[in-house]
Amino acid sequence: MSNEAAVPHAPASLGKVHRRQRLRRIVRNRWLYFMMLPGILYFLIFKYAPMYGVLLAFKNYQPFLGFIDSQWVGMKHFSRFFGDPLFWQLLKNTMILALYNIAFFFPLPIVISLLLNELRMEGYKRIVQTMIYVPHFMSWVVIVSIAYLFFTTEGGLVNEAIASMGGEKIQFLMAPGWFRGFITGEVIWKETGWGTIIFLAALAGVDTQLYEAARMDGANRFRQLWHITLPAIKPTIIILLILRLGNFLDTGFEQIFLMLNSINRGVGEVFDTYVYSIGISQGQYSYSTAVGLFKSVVGLILVFASNALAKRFGEEGII
């Protein structure tokens, strides 16, 4: 009887043991949790709290009525956005720029990291790293100004060189055909060096004994790169690719806004600049919130889809 009576109390006792163990772990790692506190507060204040404003996408916001008393309109703004012929132009422009970034920009930090990892002269390696990091710390205003100095038809260095050789000046900054190449090229120049930091950190964790064993087996540098280095950083590459897909439609407002003009707007207008023009310039706050929410939902879907695809192929993913 005593044993039978003790059975119902076993789950409760087991739960108390688990709670005590969890409390001990928290107390033991209290300083680690304390170090996490600023990051948690940052996300709560600046990421989660503003999500309440997403309700604007389902209201007809009127400043004199306020956020709460403005009229609910449901999916009206989304219907207007998807029914606007400009939607397809915006989607096309944004998708093309995003694909350019994935195809041309994303692999470059990996390639540069692999090249830097092969350097044996540490002093020269640090100099190269410093030089390629510097553009990251320049604002887009400076980057675009440099592009204008080089490629404008009025005194630009490139066009002046073309003219001095008897050629005709080219409208690099005005012609729509050059716009996407310039945007992608500026991103590559500014961010490639900074993007190598994570990959170099991953390469630093590769066991050097693997290279020694490969050399003893007769593997050359390329074989070591292919069979040891790339497999070692493959999880890092996949995780960063998944995270980048989450920002797939974020092509960058400031850079594109500074490069836009009346001639290239047909290929340069993207969701970010459109939200600025209708939300800030025209005061259509609810409609611009709906556009921004659409972007966020697409990014969320891409993150979950790419994460599921990575797991299907046997990778870890991020979730």
Side-chain angles (χ1 to χ4, degrees):
M1 290 295 293
S2 60
N3 292 335
E4 294 177 356
V7 171
H9 298 285
S13 301
L14 189 60
K16 290 180 180 179
V17 171
H18 285 321
R19 284 194 293 271
R20 283 198 295 268
Q21 291 176 346
R22 193 179 302 115
L23 182 61
R24 289 194 195 100
R25 285 197 299 269
I26 293 174
V27 173
R28 185 170 60 250
N29 301 317
R30 60 188 180 278
W31 294 114
L32 293 177
Y33 289 111
F34 182 76
M35 291 173 64
M36 290 170 56
L37 187 60
I40 294 173
L41 290 176
Y42 167 79
F43 278 96
L44 288 176
I45 296 172
F46 296 104
K47 300 296 182 180
Y48 285 95
M51 289 177 67
Y52 181 68
V54 167
L55 293 176
L56 275 181
F58 306 96
K59 289 180 167 238
N60 185 21
Y61 177 69
Q62 300 293 333
F64 59 87
L65 290 177
F67 185 85
I68 302 297
D69 297 328
S70 294
Q71 179 187 4
W72 285 94
V73 295
M75 303 295 290
K76 175 183 175 182
H77 299 302
F78 294 95
S79 300
R80 172 190 167 190
F81 180 51
F82 296 140
D84 191 338
L86 189 59
F87 167 75
W88 298 107
Q89 180 184 343
L90 294 172
L91 182 62
K92 176 185 174 182
N93 294 341
T94 306
M95 290 284 288
I96 291 175
L97 285 175
L99 289 172
Y100 276 23
N101 281 334
I102 293 293
F104 299 110
F105 167 65
F106 183 77
L108 279 178
I110 303 172
V111 174
I112 300 298
S113 300
L114 294 174
L115 294 174
L116 288 173
N117 191 58
E118 293 298 317
L119 292 177
R120 295 295 176 260
M121 298 174 61
E122 288 297 325
Y124 178 68
K125 182 178 179 179
R126 292 194 189 96
I127 292 172
V128 173
Q129 286 180 269
T130 302
M131 291 178 64
I132 62 177
Y133 290 166
V134 168
H136 170 78
F137 299 99
M138 298 181 185
S139 69
W140 278 117
V141 175
V142 175
I143 301 295
V144 173
S145 299
I146 293 173
Y148 270 85
L149 286 174
F150 273 87
F151 296 102
T152 183
T153 55
E154 303 298 328
L157 295 178
V158 174
N159 271 312
E160 290 299 323
I162 293 173
S164 66
M165 291 184 290
E168 186 176 349
K169 292 184 178 181
I170 302 173
Q171 296 278 356
F172 290 109
L173 302 176
M174 303 294 287
W178 289 94
F179 181 82
R180 290 165 180 154
F182 266 100
I183 294 296
T184 307
E186 289 171 358
V187 172
I188 289 172
W189 188 72
K190 185 177 189 294
E191 300 295 346
T192 297
W194 189 252
T196 62
I197 292 177
I198 295 178
F199 296 110
L200 287 172
L203 289 170
V206 181
D207 190 354
T208 56
Q209 293 181 355
L210 296 175
Y211 294 106
E212 294 174 3
R215 283 193 294 270
M216 292 179 65
D217 290 337
N220 56 26
R221 298 285 285 271
F222 178 77
R223 289 291 182 182
Q224 295 174 37
L225 174 70
W226 186 259
H227 294 290
I228 299 175
T229 308
L230 284 176
I233 65 172
K234 185 172 69 170
T236 304
I237 295 173
I238 292 173
I239 289 174
L240 290 179
L241 180 60
I242 292 173
L243 294 175
R244 179 163 289 277
L245 288 175
N247 297 321
F248 186 71
L249 297 182
D250 291 333
T251 50
F253 163 75
E254 187 178 0
Q255 177 197 14
I256 296 177
F257 181 75
L258 292 169
M259 293 290 292
L260 276 179
N261 54 58
S262 58
I263 298 177
N264 61 27
R265 188 170 293 275
V267 298
E269 187 82 270
V270 294
F271 289 124
D272 293 323
T273 56
Y274 182 65
V275 167
Y276 170 80
S277 63
I278 63 171
I280 304 300
S281 300
Q282 301 179 25
Q284 300 183 43
Y285 303 112
S286 294
Y287 182 60
S288 60
T289 303
V291 178
L293 181 59
F294 164 74
K295 277 184 51 189
S296 301
V297 171
V298 170
L300 182 65
I301 293 172
L302 287 174
V303 166
F304 278 103
S306 57
N307 184 76
L309 188 63
K311 287 191 171 182
R312 175 160 300 202
F313 284 96
E315 301 299 333
E316 293 183 3
I318 60 173
I319 302 175

mmCIF file of all heavy atoms in Angstrom, residues 38-78:
data_model
loop_
_atom_site.group_PDB
_atom_site.id
_atom_site.type_symbol
_atom_site.label_atom_id
_atom_site.label_comp_id
_atom_site.label_asym_id
_atom_site.label_seq_id
_atom_site.Cartn_x
_atom_site.Cartn_y
_atom_site.Cartn_z
ATOM 1 N N PRO A 38 21.650 43.264 -21.580
ATOM 2 C CA PRO A 38 21.564 44.386 -22.529
ATOM 3 C C PRO A 38 21.028 43.979 -23.896
ATOM 4 O O PRO A 38 20.220 44.703 -24.498
ATOM 5 C CB PRO A 38 23.016 44.875 -22.621
ATOM 6 C CG PRO A 38 23.648 44.445 -21.353
ATOM 7 C CD PRO A 38 23.001 43.149 -21.017
ATOM 8 N N GLY A 39 21.457 42.821 -24.392
ATOM 9 C CA GLY A 39 20.950 42.354 -25.684
ATOM 10 C C GLY A 39 19.470 42.052 -25.643
ATOM 11 O O GLY A 39 18.728 42.385 -26.577
ATOM 12 N N ILE A 40 19.022 41.429 -24.551
ATOM 13 C CA ILE A 40 17.593 41.121 -24.416
ATOM 14 C C ILE A 40 16.774 42.404 -24.352
ATOM 15 O O ILE A 40 15.731 42.532 -25.007
ATOM 16 C CB ILE A 40 17.368 40.255 -23.160
ATOM 17 C CG1 ILE A 40 18.025 38.881 -23.336
ATOM 18 C CG2 ILE A 40 15.883 40.098 -22.876
ATOM 19 C CD1 ILE A 40 18.006 38.032 -22.088
ATOM 20 N N LEU A 41 17.250 43.377 -23.572
ATOM 21 C CA LEU A 41 16.539 44.651 -23.480
ATOM 22 C C LEU A 41 16.494 45.372 -24.821
ATOM 23 O O LEU A 41 15.481 45.983 -25.185
ATOM 24 C CB LEU A 41 17.213 45.539 -22.423
ATOM 25 C CG LEU A 41 17.047 45.093 -20.971
ATOM 26 C CD1 LEU A 41 17.839 45.998 -20.048
ATOM 27 C CD2 LEU A 41 15.576 45.089 -20.570
ATOM 28 N N TYR A 42 17.606 45.293 -25.583
ATOM 29 C CA TYR A 42 17.645 45.931 -26.899
ATOM 30 C C TYR A 42 16.548 45.369 -27.802
ATOM 31 O O TYR A 42 15.796 46.113 -28.449
ATOM 32 C CB TYR A 42 19.014 45.728 -27.537
ATOM 33 C CG TYR A 42 19.057 46.071 -29.008
ATOM 34 C CD1 TYR A 42 19.135 47.387 -29.434
ATOM 35 C CD2 TYR A 42 18.987 45.065 -29.975
ATOM 36 C CE1 TYR A 42 19.160 47.709 -30.779
ATOM 37 C CE2 TYR A 42 19.015 45.370 -31.325
ATOM 38 C CZ TYR A 42 19.098 46.694 -31.718
ATOM 39 O OH TYR A 42 19.097 46.999 -33.051
ATOM 40 N N PHE A 43 16.444 44.042 -27.856
ATOM 41 C CA PHE A 43 15.446 43.436 -28.727
ATOM 42 C C PHE A 43 14.032 43.704 -28.233
ATOM 43 O O PHE A 43 13.108 43.915 -29.035
ATOM 44 C CB PHE A 43 15.692 41.934 -28.846
ATOM 45 C CG PHE A 43 16.751 41.586 -29.849
ATOM 46 C CD1 PHE A 43 18.051 41.361 -29.454
ATOM 47 C CD2 PHE A 43 16.448 41.507 -31.197
ATOM 48 C CE1 PHE A 43 19.036 41.057 -30.368
ATOM 49 C CE2 PHE A 43 17.426 41.199 -32.134
ATOM 50 C CZ PHE A 43 18.722 40.979 -31.720
ATOM 51 N N LEU A 44 13.830 43.696 -26.922
ATOM 52 C CA LEU A 44 12.493 43.961 -26.389
ATOM 53 C C LEU A 44 12.046 45.391 -26.694
ATOM 54 O O LEU A 44 10.897 45.627 -27.094
ATOM 55 C CB LEU A 44 12.470 43.725 -24.878
ATOM 56 C CG LEU A 44 12.547 42.267 -24.422
ATOM 57 C CD1 LEU A 44 12.621 42.202 -22.897
ATOM 58 C CD2 LEU A 44 11.361 41.468 -24.932
ATOM 59 N N ILE A 45 12.961 46.350 -26.533
ATOM 60 C CA ILE A 45 12.588 47.764 -26.678
ATOM 61 C C ILE A 45 12.512 48.179 -28.135
ATOM 62 O O ILE A 45 11.567 48.849 -28.569
ATOM 63 C CB ILE A 45 13.590 48.656 -25.907
ATOM 64 C CG1 ILE A 45 13.501 48.367 -24.405
ATOM 65 C CG2 ILE A 45 13.322 50.139 -26.183
ATOM 66 C CD1 ILE A 45 14.581 49.048 -23.587
ATOM 67 N N PHE A 46 13.516 47.767 -28.931
ATOM 68 C CA PHE A 46 13.615 48.284 -30.292
ATOM 69 C C PHE A 46 13.096 47.339 -31.362
ATOM 70 O O PHE A 46 12.924 47.755 -32.509
ATOM 71 C CB PHE A 46 15.075 48.646 -30.608
ATOM 72 C CG PHE A 46 15.619 49.755 -29.762
ATOM 73 C CD1 PHE A 46 16.493 49.483 -28.724
ATOM 74 C CD2 PHE A 46 15.233 51.072 -29.984
ATOM 75 C CE1 PHE A 46 16.995 50.504 -27.931
ATOM 76 C CE2 PHE A 46 15.729 52.096 -29.198
ATOM 77 C CZ PHE A 46 16.608 51.811 -28.172
ATOM 78 N N LYS A 47 12.857 46.070 -31.028
ATOM 79 C CA LYS A 47 12.384 45.116 -32.019
ATOM 80 C C LYS A 47 10.958 44.640 -31.750
ATOM 81 O O LYS A 47 10.131 44.585 -32.658
ATOM 82 C CB LYS A 47 13.330 43.902 -32.082
ATOM 83 C CG LYS A 47 14.772 44.246 -32.455
ATOM 84 C CD LYS A 47 14.857 44.815 -33.876
ATOM 85 C CE LYS A 47 16.299 45.111 -34.253
ATOM 86 N NZ LYS A 47 16.420 45.661 -35.629
ATOM 87 N N TYR A 48 10.683 44.265 -30.494
ATOM 88 C CA TYR A 48 9.376 43.696 -30.197
ATOM 89 C C TYR A 48 8.330 44.757 -29.856
ATOM 90 O O TYR A 48 7.190 44.677 -30.320
ATOM 91 C CB TYR A 48 9.489 42.679 -29.058
ATOM 92 C CG TYR A 48 10.111 41.384 -29.491
ATOM 93 C CD1 TYR A 48 11.476 41.152 -29.328
ATOM 94 C CD2 TYR A 48 9.347 40.390 -30.094
ATOM 95 C CE1 TYR A 48 12.061 39.968 -29.745
ATOM 96 C CE2 TYR A 48 9.919 39.201 -30.515
ATOM 97 C CZ TYR A 48 11.274 38.992 -30.334
ATOM 98 O OH TYR A 48 11.847 37.826 -30.766
ATOM 99 N N ALA A 49 8.704 45.739 -29.054
ATOM 100 C CA ALA A 49 7.732 46.781 -28.684
ATOM 101 C C ALA A 49 7.183 47.526 -29.904
ATOM 102 O O ALA A 49 5.975 47.762 -29.996
ATOM 103 C CB ALA A 49 8.365 47.757 -27.692
ATOM 104 N N PRO A 50 8.015 47.901 -30.899
ATOM 105 C CA PRO A 50 7.460 48.607 -32.062
ATOM 106 C C PRO A 50 6.528 47.750 -32.918
ATOM 107 O O PRO A 50 5.840 48.300 -33.792
ATOM 108 C CB PRO A 50 8.712 48.999 -32.863
ATOM 109 C CG PRO A 50 9.826 48.995 -31.878
ATOM 110 C CD PRO A 50 9.493 47.900 -30.927
ATOM 111 N N MET A 51 6.499 46.434 -32.695
ATOM 112 C CA MET A 51 5.620 45.586 -33.499
ATOM 113 C C MET A 51 4.148 45.918 -33.283
ATOM 114 O O MET A 51 3.300 45.594 -34.121
ATOM 115 C CB MET A 51 5.883 44.105 -33.186
ATOM 116 C CG MET A 51 7.217 43.602 -33.710
ATOM 117 S SD MET A 51 7.564 41.890 -33.270
ATOM 118 C CE MET A 51 6.305 41.042 -34.219
ATOM 119 N N TYR A 52 3.850 46.583 -32.169
ATOM 120 C CA TYR A 52 2.477 47.032 -31.931
ATOM 121 C C TYR A 52 2.020 47.975 -33.036
ATOM 122 O O TYR A 52 0.842 48.013 -33.412
ATOM 123 C CB TYR A 52 2.400 47.715 -30.566
ATOM 124 C CG TYR A 52 1.018 48.202 -30.193
ATOM 125 C CD1 TYR A 52 -0.004 47.289 -29.932
ATOM 126 C CD2 TYR A 52 0.736 49.553 -30.100
ATOM 127 C CE1 TYR A 52 -1.267 47.724 -29.588
ATOM 128 C CE2 TYR A 52 -0.526 50.004 -29.757
ATOM 129 C CZ TYR A 52 -1.519 49.082 -29.499
ATOM 130 O OH TYR A 52 -2.780 49.513 -29.170
ATOM 131 N N GLY A 53 2.959 48.726 -33.606
ATOM 132 C CA GLY A 53 2.625 49.659 -34.673
ATOM 133 C C GLY A 53 2.218 48.993 -35.973
ATOM 134 O O GLY A 53 1.704 49.658 -36.884
ATOM 135 N N VAL A 54 2.415 47.668 -36.078
ATOM 136 C CA VAL A 54 1.991 46.952 -37.282
ATOM 137 C C VAL A 54 0.481 47.065 -37.480
ATOM 138 O O VAL A 54 -0.022 46.961 -38.604
ATOM 139 C CB VAL A 54 2.442 45.474 -37.183
ATOM 140 C CG1 VAL A 54 1.780 44.608 -38.238
ATOM 141 C CG2 VAL A 54 3.949 45.377 -37.308
ATOM 142 N N LEU A 55 -0.241 47.306 -36.404
ATOM 143 C CA LEU A 55 -1.697 47.461 -36.507
ATOM 144 C C LEU A 55 -2.083 48.604 -37.444
ATOM 145 O O LEU A 55 -3.204 48.633 -37.953
ATOM 146 C CB LEU A 55 -2.304 47.708 -35.116
ATOM 147 C CG LEU A 55 -2.228 46.537 -34.130
ATOM 148 C CD1 LEU A 55 -2.763 46.961 -32.771
ATOM 149 C CD2 LEU A 55 -2.997 45.341 -34.662
ATOM 150 N N LEU A 56 -1.170 49.547 -37.662
ATOM 151 C CA LEU A 56 -1.462 50.647 -38.586
ATOM 152 C C LEU A 56 -1.799 50.134 -39.979
ATOM 153 O O LEU A 56 -2.552 50.778 -40.721
ATOM 154 C CB LEU A 56 -0.260 51.590 -38.688
ATOM 155 C CG LEU A 56 -0.110 52.692 -37.650
ATOM 156 C CD1 LEU A 56 1.117 53.524 -37.952
ATOM 157 C CD2 LEU A 56 -1.346 53.568 -37.615
ATOM 158 N N ALA A 57 -1.246 48.970 -40.352
ATOM 159 C CA ALA A 57 -1.499 48.420 -41.688
ATOM 160 C C ALA A 57 -2.952 48.030 -41.877
ATOM 161 O O ALA A 57 -3.419 47.910 -43.014
ATOM 162 C CB ALA A 57 -0.597 47.210 -41.934
ATOM 163 N N PHE A 58 -3.691 47.866 -40.785
ATOM 164 C CA PHE A 58 -5.096 47.444 -40.860
ATOM 165 C C PHE A 58 -6.046 48.561 -40.449
ATOM 166 O O PHE A 58 -7.225 48.327 -40.231
ATOM 167 C CB PHE A 58 -5.317 46.221 -39.958
ATOM 168 C CG PHE A 58 -4.367 45.097 -40.257
ATOM 169 C CD1 PHE A 58 -3.208 44.943 -39.516
ATOM 170 C CD2 PHE A 58 -4.624 44.211 -41.296
ATOM 171 C CE1 PHE A 58 -2.326 43.910 -39.790
ATOM 172 C CE2 PHE A 58 -3.746 43.180 -41.575
ATOM 173 C CZ PHE A 58 -2.588 43.030 -40.825
ATOM 174 N N LYS A 59 -5.510 49.789 -40.351
ATOM 175 C CA LYS A 59 -6.328 50.942 -39.972
ATOM 176 C C LYS A 59 -6.164 52.048 -40.997
ATOM 177 O O LYS A 59 -5.199 52.066 -41.765
ATOM 178 C CB LYS A 59 -5.909 51.478 -38.594
ATOM 179 C CG LYS A 59 -6.269 50.602 -37.422
ATOM 180 C CD LYS A 59 -5.810 51.237 -36.117
ATOM 181 C CE LYS A 59 -6.444 50.512 -34.940
ATOM 182 N NZ LYS A 59 -7.216 51.411 -34.107
ATOM 183 N N ASN A 60 -7.093 52.958 -41.003
ATOM 184 C CA ASN A 60 -6.956 54.191 -41.776
ATOM 185 C C ASN A 60 -6.513 55.278 -40.803
ATOM 186 O O ASN A 60 -7.327 56.024 -40.260
ATOM 187 C CB ASN A 60 -8.279 54.554 -42.450
ATOM 188 C CG ASN A 60 -8.148 55.765 -43.353
ATOM 189 O OD1 ASN A 60 -7.045 56.108 -43.786
ATOM 190 N ND2 ASN A 60 -9.254 56.438 -43.615
ATOM 191 N N TYR A 61 -5.203 55.333 -40.585
ATOM 192 C CA TYR A 61 -4.672 56.179 -39.520
ATOM 193 C C TYR A 61 -4.885 57.650 -39.831
ATOM 194 O O TYR A 61 -4.542 58.141 -40.908
ATOM 195 C CB TYR A 61 -3.184 55.901 -39.341
ATOM 196 C CG TYR A 61 -2.526 56.785 -38.318
ATOM 197 C CD1 TYR A 61 -2.823 56.659 -36.968
ATOM 198 C CD2 TYR A 61 -1.608 57.762 -38.707
ATOM 199 C CE1 TYR A 61 -2.220 57.478 -36.027
ATOM 200 C CE2 TYR A 61 -0.990 58.575 -37.771
ATOM 201 C CZ TYR A 61 -1.310 58.434 -36.436
ATOM 202 O OH TYR A 61 -0.715 59.244 -35.504
ATOM 203 N N GLN A 62 -5.474 58.338 -38.862
ATOM 204 C CA GLN A 62 -5.673 59.781 -38.928
ATOM 205 C C GLN A 62 -5.008 60.396 -37.696
ATOM 206 O O GLN A 62 -5.369 60.047 -36.566
ATOM 207 C CB GLN A 62 -7.162 60.134 -38.937
ATOM 208 C CG GLN A 62 -7.946 59.555 -40.106
ATOM 209 C CD GLN A 62 -7.511 60.169 -41.427
ATOM 210 O OE1 GLN A 62 -7.044 61.298 -41.473
ATOM 211 N NE2 GLN A 62 -7.664 59.409 -42.517
ATOM 212 N N PRO A 63 -4.030 61.272 -37.880
ATOM 213 C CA PRO A 63 -3.299 61.820 -36.725
ATOM 214 C C PRO A 63 -4.197 62.476 -35.685
ATOM 215 O O PRO A 63 -3.941 62.349 -34.481
ATOM 216 C CB PRO A 63 -2.341 62.831 -37.373
ATOM 217 C CG PRO A 63 -2.154 62.348 -38.762
ATOM 218 C CD PRO A 63 -3.466 61.744 -39.164
ATOM 219 N N PHE A 64 -5.253 63.166 -36.131
ATOM 220 C CA PHE A 64 -6.086 63.870 -35.154
ATOM 221 C C PHE A 64 -6.983 62.908 -34.381
ATOM 222 O O PHE A 64 -7.503 63.251 -33.314
ATOM 223 C CB PHE A 64 -6.947 64.938 -35.859
ATOM 224 C CG PHE A 64 -7.856 64.397 -36.914
ATOM 225 C CD1 PHE A 64 -9.120 63.931 -36.587
ATOM 226 C CD2 PHE A 64 -7.456 64.366 -38.236
ATOM 227 C CE1 PHE A 64 -9.960 63.436 -37.562
ATOM 228 C CE2 PHE A 64 -8.289 63.872 -39.223
ATOM 229 C CZ PHE A 64 -9.547 63.400 -38.887
ATOM 230 N N LEU A 65 -7.185 61.669 -34.890
ATOM 231 C CA LEU A 65 -7.944 60.662 -34.153
ATOM 232 C C LEU A 65 -7.047 59.831 -33.241
ATOM 233 O O LEU A 65 -7.516 59.279 -32.246
ATOM 234 C CB LEU A 65 -8.683 59.735 -35.124
ATOM 235 C CG LEU A 65 -9.853 60.342 -35.898
ATOM 236 C CD1 LEU A 65 -10.432 59.329 -36.874
ATOM 237 C CD2 LEU A 65 -10.928 60.846 -34.958
ATOM 238 N N GLY A 66 -5.788 59.714 -33.599
ATOM 239 C CA GLY A 66 -4.863 58.923 -32.796
ATOM 240 C C GLY A 66 -4.803 57.480 -33.246
ATOM 241 O O GLY A 66 -5.581 57.014 -34.091
ATOM 242 N N PHE A 67 -3.879 56.760 -32.655
ATOM 243 C CA PHE A 67 -3.636 55.373 -33.056
ATOM 244 C C PHE A 67 -4.815 54.474 -32.714
ATOM 245 O O PHE A 67 -5.211 53.606 -33.505
ATOM 246 C CB PHE A 67 -2.364 54.881 -32.364
ATOM 247 C CG PHE A 67 -1.936 53.508 -32.783
ATOM 248 C CD1 PHE A 67 -1.165 53.325 -33.916
ATOM 249 C CD2 PHE A 67 -2.295 52.391 -32.044
ATOM 250 C CE1 PHE A 67 -0.771 52.057 -34.316
ATOM 251 C CE2 PHE A 67 -1.902 51.129 -32.426
ATOM 252 C CZ PHE A 67 -1.143 50.961 -33.568
ATOM 253 N N ILE A 68 -5.401 54.648 -31.555
ATOM 254 C CA ILE A 68 -6.451 53.746 -31.082
ATOM 255 C C ILE A 68 -7.776 54.008 -31.795
ATOM 256 O O ILE A 68 -8.474 53.078 -32.198
ATOM 257 C CB ILE A 68 -6.637 53.876 -29.554
ATOM 258 C CG1 ILE A 68 -5.309 53.576 -28.835
ATOM 259 C CG2 ILE A 68 -7.737 52.942 -29.066
ATOM 260 C CD1 ILE A 68 -4.801 52.171 -29.036
ATOM 261 N N ASP A 69 -8.144 55.264 -31.959
ATOM 262 C CA ASP A 69 -9.472 55.607 -32.476
ATOM 263 C C ASP A 69 -9.566 55.650 -33.995
ATOM 264 O O ASP A 69 -10.650 55.860 -34.538
ATOM 265 C CB ASP A 69 -9.908 56.970 -31.910
ATOM 266 C CG ASP A 69 -10.056 56.935 -30.398
ATOM 267 O OD1 ASP A 69 -10.421 55.856 -29.877
ATOM 268 O OD2 ASP A 69 -9.798 57.967 -29.749
ATOM 269 N N SER A 70 -8.460 55.454 -34.692
ATOM 270 C CA SER A 70 -8.522 55.438 -36.153
ATOM 271 C C SER A 70 -9.328 54.239 -36.638
ATOM 272 O O SER A 70 -9.359 53.184 -36.002
ATOM 273 C CB SER A 70 -7.106 55.388 -36.745
ATOM 274 O OG SER A 70 -6.397 56.578 -36.452
ATOM 275 N N GLN A 71 -9.958 54.392 -37.773
ATOM 276 C CA GLN A 71 -10.901 53.396 -38.275
ATOM 277 C C GLN A 71 -10.186 52.130 -38.768
ATOM 278 O O GLN A 71 -9.174 52.195 -39.455
ATOM 279 C CB GLN A 71 -11.714 53.998 -39.430
ATOM 280 C CG GLN A 71 -12.711 53.043 -40.063
ATOM 281 C CD GLN A 71 -13.358 53.640 -41.302
ATOM 282 O OE1 GLN A 71 -12.994 54.727 -41.717
ATOM 283 N NE2 GLN A 71 -14.297 52.923 -41.879
ATOM 284 N N TRP A 72 -10.767 50.970 -38.406
ATOM 285 C CA TRP A 72 -10.272 49.709 -38.929
ATOM 286 C C TRP A 72 -10.722 49.542 -40.379
ATOM 287 O O TRP A 72 -11.888 49.762 -40.705
ATOM 288 C CB TRP A 72 -10.809 48.533 -38.101
ATOM 289 C CG TRP A 72 -10.151 48.375 -36.762
ATOM 290 C CD1 TRP A 72 -10.580 48.882 -35.586
ATOM 291 C CD2 TRP A 72 -8.960 47.658 -36.482
ATOM 292 N NE1 TRP A 72 -9.728 48.525 -34.564
ATOM 293 C CE2 TRP A 72 -8.724 47.768 -35.093
ATOM 294 C CE3 TRP A 72 -8.061 46.920 -37.262
ATOM 295 C CZ2 TRP A 72 -7.626 47.183 -34.480
ATOM 296 C CZ3 TRP A 72 -6.968 46.332 -36.649
ATOM 297 C CH2 TRP A 72 -6.759 46.469 -35.269
ATOM 298 N N VAL A 73 -9.792 49.135 -41.243
ATOM 299 C CA VAL A 73 -10.138 48.921 -42.653
ATOM 300 C C VAL A 73 -9.756 47.529 -43.130
ATOM 301 O O VAL A 73 -9.911 47.214 -44.316
ATOM 302 C CB VAL A 73 -9.466 49.984 -43.549
ATOM 303 C CG1 VAL A 73 -10.007 51.367 -43.241
ATOM 304 C CG2 VAL A 73 -7.946 49.947 -43.398
ATOM 305 N N GLY A 74 -9.264 46.689 -42.250
ATOM 306 C CA GLY A 74 -8.931 45.314 -42.610
ATOM 307 C C GLY A 74 -7.800 45.236 -43.628
ATOM 308 O O GLY A 74 -6.737 45.826 -43.462
ATOM 309 N N MET A 75 -8.064 44.528 -44.735
ATOM 310 C CA MET A 75 -7.038 44.271 -45.753
ATOM 311 C C MET A 75 -7.089 45.281 -46.890
ATOM 312 O O MET A 75 -6.537 45.034 -47.966
ATOM 313 C CB MET A 75 -7.220 42.859 -46.320
ATOM 314 C CG MET A 75 -7.177 41.758 -45.280
ATOM 315 S SD MET A 75 -5.558 41.619 -44.468
ATOM 316 C CE MET A 75 -4.575 40.982 -45.819
ATOM 317 N N LYS A 76 -7.713 46.412 -46.673
ATOM 318 C CA LYS A 76 -7.893 47.402 -47.741
ATOM 319 C C LYS A 76 -6.555 47.865 -48.326
ATOM 320 O O LYS A 76 -6.399 47.947 -49.554
ATOM 321 C CB LYS A 76 -8.664 48.603 -47.191
ATOM 322 C CG LYS A 76 -8.804 49.746 -48.179
ATOM 323 C CD LYS A 76 -9.518 50.930 -47.538
ATOM 324 C CE LYS A 76 -9.549 52.127 -48.487
ATOM 325 N NZ LYS A 76 -10.210 53.298 -47.854
ATOM 326 N N HIS A 77 -5.601 48.174 -47.473
ATOM 327 C CA HIS A 77 -4.316 48.684 -47.958
ATOM 328 C C HIS A 77 -3.537 47.612 -48.721
ATOM 329 O O HIS A 77 -2.855 47.914 -49.714
ATOM 330 C CB HIS A 77 -3.477 49.203 -46.790
ATOM 331 C CG HIS A 77 -4.125 50.324 -46.043
ATOM 332 N ND1 HIS A 77 -4.499 51.500 -46.639
ATOM 333 C CD2 HIS A 77 -4.477 50.436 -44.729
ATOM 334 C CE1 HIS A 77 -5.039 52.304 -45.743
ATOM 335 N NE2 HIS A 77 -5.039 51.684 -44.573
ATOM 336 N N PHE A 78 -3.664 46.363 -48.285
ATOM 337 C CA PHE A 78 -2.993 45.281 -49.005
ATOM 338 C C PHE A 78 -3.617 45.073 -50.376
ATOM 339 O O PHE A 78 -2.903 44.838 -51.363
ATOM 340 C CB PHE A 78 -3.048 43.988 -48.189
ATOM 341 C CG PHE A 78 -2.266 44.049 -46.906
ATOM 342 C CD1 PHE A 78 -2.889 44.373 -45.713
ATOM 343 C CD2 PHE A 78 -0.903 43.795 -46.894
ATOM 344 C CE1 PHE A 78 -2.175 44.422 -44.530
ATOM 345 C CE2 PHE A 78 -0.178 43.851 -45.717
ATOM 346 C CZ PHE A 78 -0.817 44.164 -44.537
#
